[in-house]
Amino acid sequence: LAELGAWRRLGLVLLAAYLPGYVDRSEYRPAPRRSGAFSRRARAFFRAAIPRLFDVRAAVLEDPEKLASCRQCILAVHPHGVLSLDHLLTVAGFDEALERALPQSERSALSAGVLFK
């Protein structure tokens, strides 16, 4: 590998990181290859830092118990403005009520950018 250029080495590293999830199809299951420790640290960071920067309000859940009992659901977040902070906070598990009803460790993020063209 030493004789390869930096860009080729980077490409091989990225390919090696992606291929296991593609081959075992874990990217099609909930929360594929997510580190629980990293998620907890990221959630703690976002909960401490985001309110200092933005006026973030708590999510409104009409029926948290019913949501928690669902085996599968789709949580849609519409991107507003130039910063889709709602999606980031949803994926990171920022809101405590939503986290109790629908744990971040069991969620997978999807993007539907084509719907907003």
Side-chain angles (χ1 to χ4, degrees):
L1 287 176
E3 64 273 356
L4 291 176
W7 288 109
R8 287 187 183 202
R9 281 189 303 220
L10 177 63
L12 285 174
V13 167
L14 293 175
L15 186 64
Y18 174 72
L19 277 179
Y22 180 78
V23 172
D24 74 359
R25 304 192 55 80
S26 66
E27 64 183 21
Y28 296 104
R29 294 190 301 267
R33 298 188 181 274
R34 185 174 290 144
S35 164
F38 177 79
S39 293
R40 284 188 298 277
R41 288 186 186 105
R43 191 168 34 254
F45 171 77
F46 286 128
R47 286 181 180 170
I50 294 295
R52 294 175 188 214
L53 302 170
F54 302 98
D55 180 23
V56 178
R57 311 272 167 82
V60 176
L61 303 178
E62 292 181 13
D63 193 348
E65 292 81 22
K66 192 171 182 179
L67 178 62
S69 70
C70 291
R71 190 174 77 64
Q72 184 177 15
C73 64
I74 296 175
L75 182 63
V77 178
H78 188 282
H80 291 281
V82 293
L83 176 65
S84 180
L85 187 62
D86 297 337
H87 185 258
L88 171 69
L89 297 179
T90 302
V91 171
F94 179 82
D95 189 80
E96 293 180 22
L98 181 60
E99 185 65 18
R100 282 190 302 275
L102 188 65
Q104 179 260 346
S105 62
E106 298 176 10
R107 285 184 257 162
S108 292
L110 302 174
S111 177
V114 72
L115 297 176
F116 303 107
K117 288 186 177 183

